[in-house]
Amino acid sequence: MSRRAPSKRRALLLAVLLSGAATPASAQQALGVLATTCGPLDANRSLPVDTTAAVPARAVVVASVVGNGVVLDDLVLVDPASASYTAIGARRTRATAKLGVAQLFAPVVSAVPAGSRFTLRAVAAPPGTSVCVSLAAFTDVAVGAAAMQSRAAAGGNNATPALTGDRNGDGTPQVLLGSFAFAADPSGFATAQPGIVATSACDAAQTLCIGALAGNDAGGGALALGATLGTAVNWSGVLASLDRDSMFKDGFE
Amino acid sequence: MVRSTIGRVAVVLCALAFSLAWSGGASAQATRTWVSGVGDDANPCSRTAPCKTFAGAISKTAASGTINVLDPGGYGSVTITKSITIEADGDFAGITHSGTTGIIVNALPTDVITLRGITLDGFGTGLNSIRFIAGGTLLLEHVDINTTGGNGILFEPSSASTLSLHDVSISRTGLVSTTAGGVSVAPTGTGSAALDFDDVRIIDARFGVSIAGPATGVIRDSTVSSTGEDGIVVNGATIASDILLDNVAVSDCATNGVAAIGANAVIRINNSTISGSGQGVLTSANGRVLSFGDNRIAGNVVNGAPTQVTPLQ
């Protein structure tokens, strides 16, 4: 199903990029893409997602989900650690490309080994509906009501999907999370800024694709994420800016 | 001879005094005036000699007076600086305000402004259909607002003011401005807003209701649907706002149905439905959505959840 299911070599390269090279400023923070895949919902309106990397205990898992904006409702994500996922942001369009996109996150209490199965349920979507899911783990992200500093939701039809948060940064370290739904292959999906990681995948028909971005910011300017594509495509996206968990620690934990 | 001259002078003086008194009476403001599609602003705005526009009539209407609409017509933009009632009971009273603001209210903190039976149309390029800068209370009844580039209603009082909406329809607003939508409440300076919305329908706006600033109140028996952004959003990073939604249906909002952003933002939801949106309930930066446990939050891409459930008492 997944057009770009990551090979072991690619996953290893991505893990290296995400865990260290992409974030040299913070030794504590590790980012990792667990899985990015597309496929049809089964008879139980579910899509299983098998991870290719382990999740350490107390990490935060962020899920990006995209699908048909008309029927993508009541999303529920279940993982082996029975974490309770909270919505961070979502956007839906019913016109033209009919794109729906959502972000959810949860702290994972106990470690989850590679090869574990997460399950996405779209309670109201008909079986066979195509959806895409991307999972990423973060070890230095705060969760809770005060964690989100800025947010954005937007869409368009161009080759430069970009999201700018509704508030500027306040100088504290932030993790920026962007989730995008595309109505066609976002060929050349790459980050517009250095030091940001990206992953993408499309369904078999190439009419629904997902893109996920993550980056860091510690400045006082606009909290923004963007990507560059090879060609213009209909897109819809949401952005969340979350505090880095380490900012709440004093070094004596 | 002398007596005759004195008499003539007296007669002339009396005539002059009478003339001055008469002309003064004619220019005095009436407590009730009329406008008509076939009127003329040169008229005294009486029942039999009505004015052509609201702007023409308001200068001939006393404070706390009433402007009545005699027949269907377009009566133009108007700036209101005093207590006034503009009333069209059963007749279409339109204000077309393409490229400009429909009604500006800039009155005293004790003034009460009532608009009843008015239709405002910005023809896509209008600014705010109604902009409230200062005044005591703005009461809208049976008012239709549609197709404008700015807000349907921009309520930005500089003192403690009340916005009361009853049977108000707002559609296709925020067509040009990216910061405009259906109703935007944003008090300035030491201003604050008390809100009383009843039977308000907002559809196809950039956002439904946006509240940023000191504001309290209730939205009841109303609908917000098909917005390009949030349905109802309260921003309260540093300034408190506390809004109750009672029997409100929020649906088909591209981003959030209901959003409370900031530690001083509170939205209470009772007997309400939030459906068909990107995210049903969003709480961000310690914003709070308090539920009475009798709401229906379903059918959104992600439903979200209230921060707290308060039992019915």
Side-chain angles (χ1 to χ4, degrees):
Chain A
M1 293 301 167
S2 172
R3 196 180 70 85
R4 295 185 183 172
S7 64
K8 285 183 180 176
R9 191 172 169 186
R10 182 172 174 171
L12 180 62
L13 177 62
L14 204 52
V16 169
L17 276 173
L18 299 180
S19 62
T23 57
S26 172
Q28 288 191 351
Q29 185 179 34
L31 313 177
V33 175
L34 306 176
T36 301
T37 188
C38 296
L41 295 174
D42 63 18
N44 295 316
R45 306 169 199 270
S46 299
L47 177 72
V49 181
D50 296 327
T51 61
T52 57
V55 182
R58 294 182 298 280
V60 172
V61 171
V62 176
S64 302
V65 181
V66 306
N68 183 331
V70 176
V71 298
L72 193 69
D73 288 334
D74 305 318
L75 296 181
V76 177
L77 186 64
V78 178
D79 70 15
S82 300
S84 178
Y85 286 82
T86 303
I88 311 176
R91 183 175 192 268
R92 83 187 315 162
T93 55
R94 299 185 192 278
T96 317
K98 298 181 176 62
L99 295 173
V101 54
Q103 278 183 331
L104 307 99
F105 71 168
V108 177
V109 176
S110 54
V112 178
S116 297
R117 172 159 291 187
F118 287 57
T119 302
L120 174 81
R121 290 197 69 210
V123 177
T129 299
S130 187
V131 296
C132 297
V133 178
S134 179
L135 303 175
F138 300 79
T139 59
D140 188 12
V141 171
V143 294
M148 189 165 13
Q149 292 301 303
S150 186
R151 68 188 179 111
N157 186 359
N158 52 53
T160 55
L163 299 162
T164 301
D166 55 355
R167 282 182 290 171
N168 287 346
D170 59 5
T172 58
Q174 300 284 302
V175 175
L176 305 180
L177 305 167
S179 301
F180 294 88
F182 298 103
D185 185 359
S187 59
F189 183 74
T191 58
Q193 297 100 331
I196 297 179
V197 295
T199 179
S200 65
C202 288
D203 67 359
Q206 302 275 307
T207 55
L208 177 70
C209 301
I210 189 172
L213 300 176
N216 301 303
D217 190 291
L223 296 168
L225 274 181
T228 55
L229 311 179
T231 57
V233 60
N234 268 306
W235 63 273
S236 180
V238 293
L239 167 75
S241 171
L242 305 176
D243 286 332
R244 296 267 288 275
D245 194 34
S246 52
M247 67 178 285
F248 299 111
K249 298 177 179 176
D250 57 13
F252 291 93
E253 289 80 9
Chain B
M1 182 67 178
V2 172
R3 286 183 66 184
S4 171
T5 303
I6 291 172
R8 277 197 292 270
V9 169
V11 168
V12 169
L13 286 175
C14 282
L16 185 61
F18 182 78
S19 172
L20 287 172
W22 176 257
S23 64
S27 65
Q29 293 178 317
T31 55
R32 184 177 295 274
T33 57
W34 282 265
V35 293
S36 167
V38 293
D40 189 328
D41 283 345
N43 288 339
C45 302
S46 62
R47 181 78 167 78
T48 53
C51 286
K52 174 75 171 174
T53 68
F54 289 139
I58 199 167
S59 63
K60 296 168 185 173
T61 309
S64 301
T66 299
I67 300 172
N68 278 106
V69 174
L70 281 173
D71 48 41
Y75 294 102
S77 298
V78 62
T79 296
I80 297 171
T81 59
K82 59 191 174 188
S83 288
I84 201 87
T85 295
I86 300 178
E87 188 172 55
D89 189 8
D91 285 312
F92 172 84
I95 295 178
T96 301
H97 61 95
S98 50
T100 187
T101 299
I103 296 175
I104 295 175
V105 178
N106 192 2
L108 297 174
T110 53
D111 287 339
V112 177
I113 293 90
T114 301
L115 307 175
R116 187 173 293 125
I118 310 294
T119 297
L120 296 109
D121 194 326
F123 268 81
T125 62
L127 305 180
N128 302 299
S129 290
I130 298 175
R131 183 184 179 199
F132 183 99
I133 300 170
T137 295
L138 175 62
L139 171 62
L140 270 58
E141 292 183 351
H142 319 307
V143 170
D144 287 350
I145 297 172
N146 58 74
T147 321
T148 193
N151 291 288
I153 301 170
L154 174 58
F155 193 71
E156 45 180 7
S158 55
S159 61
S161 304
T162 299
L163 176 62
S164 180
L165 309 180
H166 174 70
D167 184 19
V168 173
S169 294
I170 300 173
S171 62
R172 302 194 71 225
T173 60
L175 295 177
V176 177
S177 171
T178 58
T179 58
V183 179
S184 180
V185 177
T188 61
T190 58
S192 63
L195 309 177
D196 176 18
F197 296 2
D198 175 52
D199 193 13
V200 174
R201 301 167 297 280
I202 301 174
I203 185 170
D204 200 14
R206 186 179 296 274
F207 58 75
V209 179
S210 171
I211 297 168
T216 57
V218 59
I219 302 173
R220 84 174 69 81
D221 299 336
S222 297
T223 60
V224 176
S225 63
S226 300
T227 62
E229 296 176 359
D230 295 336
I232 297 173
V233 56
V234 174
N235 282 284
T238 57
I239 301 173
S241 291
D242 191 332
I243 303 299
L244 170 64
L245 310 184
D246 182 14
N247 192 30
V248 173
V250 181
S251 65
D252 193 28
C253 302
T255 51
N256 304 294
V258 170
I261 302 167
N264 292 291
V266 176
I267 299 176
R268 303 170 193 272
I269 51 175
N270 177 62
N271 191 31
S272 293
T273 300
I274 304 169
S275 181
S277 299
Q279 183 165 342
V281 173
L282 171 76
T283 56
S284 172
N286 274 339
R288 285 169 291 165
V289 173
L290 310 180
S291 168
F292 289 96
D294 58 351
N295 301 287
R296 295 156 294 281
I297 305 170
N300 308 283
V301 175
V302 285
N303 291 318
T307 48
Q308 182 180 322
V309 175
T310 303
L312 292 169
Q313 297 166 339

